[in-house]
Amino acid sequence: MNETASLRARAEIDLAALRANVRILRERAAGAQLMAVVKSDGYGHGAVPCARAAREAGATWLGTATPQEAFALRAAGIDGRIMCWLWTPGGPWREAIEAGIDVSVSGMWALREVVAAAEAAGLPARVQLKADTGLGRNGCQPADWPELVTEALAAERSGHLRITGLWSHFACADEPGHPSIAAQLDVYRTMVAYAEKEGVEPEVRHIANSPATLTVPASHFDLVRTGIAMYGISPAPELGTPADFGLRPVMTLAASVALVKDAPAGHGVSYGHHYTTTAGTTLGLVPVGYADGVPRHASGRGPVLIGGKVRTVAGRVAMDQFVVDLHGDRPEEGAEAVLFGPGDRGEPTAQDWAEAADTIAYEIVTRIGARVPRVYAHETADPADRTRTAGLVEAAGALGAGGGVER
């Protein structure tokens, strides 16, 4: 038994797979820099180890949502360019400026707060102006763009900031062929052209997220922002599996079977008795539940590999545990139950759980809770990784650069 097998549960994180994924994505976006997005604790994989591995694989930028996420990277000794984009009034602008973090500005209130923080710090802020090209979320509307650009340029001339980027975000890049993709690209080009005509000289222009990196080459510009794809999950399952894109899932979620017992026919299982045994059988207890991030919506449907067979959650997922019907099989207590992983051993994938819970694989990995320890494999880069990556790039080539949807 290996040293992690005695754990109640563990999320095994394959950093060699992450490095390989980053290299694959860099190949797909050849000519553009790559931002490794490590928000939400690296999509549940661990922000600091994943950030370091991504840097080793050639990511020149790191991206976070909240300032606290960016500060945690700096506290861990991670240098280089970091961008943070989710701000609210009164946020820690000065701390971000002093930490050398690129901050995103979508409106005049934020620009005013950045300028005040830069004055207090005695340092220029690094600011990226975000355009709302059609997502309707964060970002500056086209009608308000001239004012924001004019005031940002004035602040740049006064030495309070440097405009380092012009960026936006797609609404439907995970739906190849959706008309909004081409429409947003047109709006983005127009808004960038206006800013540059007025005198903005950005270091980077970027709009491509993971699905656009994989399927919309025209969106790559100077930088691509890869989140879920870096962790080996397809952002567009209807277009291809991770393997189709040359990617490998990074997280494997496993637990140790806590109990195996006989149960007679007609025995109710878990809260509400939504599952009742139809014959004498064996039941296995898996000691993870919705407090660990196992979705309750997958009750009665979530797949688990135990003893070489894929089983299904029997009845409701509880807070700390769920049950599977083993149909007479008797694996030993302590046997491994694999909820999801790359699929190499026939185990389910995060996408399988997403379908069981009527959600997306992003949610499956990001919701795995803090009480599930992360166990890291291949923390030190292996030179052989590059050889393996080259093979994956070649294998995925047909669906990649040649098969992408250019708009």
Side-chain angles (χ1 to χ4, degrees):
M1 181 180 294
N2 65 46
E3 63 183 25
T4 64
S6 62
L7 295 173
R8 174 188 67 93
R10 65 267 183 201
E12 300 168 3
I13 310 300
D14 183 351
L15 294 177
L18 187 142
R19 293 185 194 95
N21 293 339
V22 169
R23 294 188 185 108
I24 290 281
L25 293 163
R26 288 179 59 211
E27 290 281 344
R28 287 297 186 86
Q33 298 181 63
L34 182 139
M35 177 186 288
V37 180
V38 294
K39 64 180 181 177
S40 187
D41 196 27
Y43 286 57
H45 295 68
V48 169
C50 290
R52 288 179 175 145
R55 285 273 203 231
E56 291 167 354
T60 51
W61 287 74
L62 299 173
T64 71
T66 70
Q68 289 72 27
E69 292 171 335
F71 297 153
L73 296 178
R74 287 289 193 241
I78 296 175
D79 57 11
R81 302 302 288 274
I82 298 174
M83 181 182 172
C84 169
W85 50 74
L86 191 57
W87 291 88
T88 52
W93 300 102
R94 177 172 177 172
E95 292 89 335
I97 293 167
E98 292 173 340
I101 293 165
D102 284 57
V103 300
S104 178
V105 166
S106 296
M108 291 302 299
W109 74 264
L111 184 62
R112 288 190 290 268
E113 291 199 4
V114 167
V115 169
E119 289 178 339
L123 295 168
R126 290 205 289 242
V127 170
Q128 300 213 16
L129 302 180
K130 185 174 186 183
D132 182 357
T133 57
L135 177 58
R137 210 169 58 178
N138 216 339
C140 180
Q141 281 282 309
D144 300 322
W145 189 244
E147 180 187 18
L148 185 64
V149 168
T150 296
E151 293 303 316
L153 281 168
E156 186 171 62
R157 286 191 295 271
S158 68
H160 291 117
L161 59 85
R162 165 83 178 96
I163 304 172
T164 58
L166 301 171
W167 74 294
S168 190
H169 195 62
F170 282 116
C172 304
D174 57 344
E175 301 177 43
H178 195 283
S180 69
I181 298 171
Q184 281 195 252
L185 272 174
D186 287 344
V187 173
Y188 179 67
R189 291 190 183 102
T190 298
M191 294 176 77
V192 167
Y194 175 86
E196 292 181 337
K197 177 178 67 70
E198 294 299 303
V200 175
E201 298 178 353
E203 296 176 37
V204 288
R205 300 162 301 157
H206 51 109
I207 189 173
N209 53 3
S210 282
T213 298
L214 291 167
T215 66
V216 190
S219 71
H220 292 169
F221 295 95
D222 305 308
L223 175 72
V224 297
R225 305 185 307 272
T226 56
I228 199 67
M230 185 177 80
Y231 303 99
I233 293 175
S234 173
E238 71 284 355
L239 186 64
T241 66
D244 290 330
F245 291 116
L247 304 172
R248 179 175 174 79
V250 172
M251 180 188 291
T252 296
L253 180 64
S256 296
V257 174
L259 179 67
V260 177
K261 65 182 180 183
D262 295 316
H267 198 297
V269 176
S270 195
Y271 293 124
H273 284 182
H274 290 274
Y275 182 86
T276 302
T277 60
T278 57
T281 190
T282 49
L283 300 176
L285 183 67
V286 181
V288 288
Y290 58 77
D292 300 293
V294 178
R296 190 171 181 271
H297 278 83
S299 294
R301 294 185 289 175
V304 190
L305 181 71
I306 302 175
K309 296 180 182 179
V310 175
R311 327 281 180 161
T312 303
V313 174
R316 282 185 179 165
V317 173
M319 183 179 291
D320 311 300
Q321 53 201 286
F322 63 82
V323 177
V324 295
D325 191 334
L326 297 168
H327 298 289
D329 293 339
R330 300 198 68 89
E332 292 185 1
E333 280 85 355
E336 184 178 57
V338 183
L339 281 73
F340 60 81
D344 296 348
R345 297 177 289 162
E347 77 272 21
T349 65
Q351 181 60 34
D352 292 326
W353 273 86
E355 292 170 6
D358 295 323
T359 186
I360 57 176
Y362 296 65
E363 184 178 354
I364 297 301
V365 291
T366 58
R367 68 185 294 153
I368 302 306
R371 74 176 185 177
V372 177
R374 272 57 172 175
V375 179
Y376 293 93
H378 309 115
E379 290 189 88
T380 302
D382 182 346
D385 287 350
R386 293 185 178 276
T387 302
R388 288 193 289 269
T389 302
L392 288 171
V393 171
E394 183 177 352
L399 185 62
V405 182
E406 180 149 9
R407 302 176 189 84

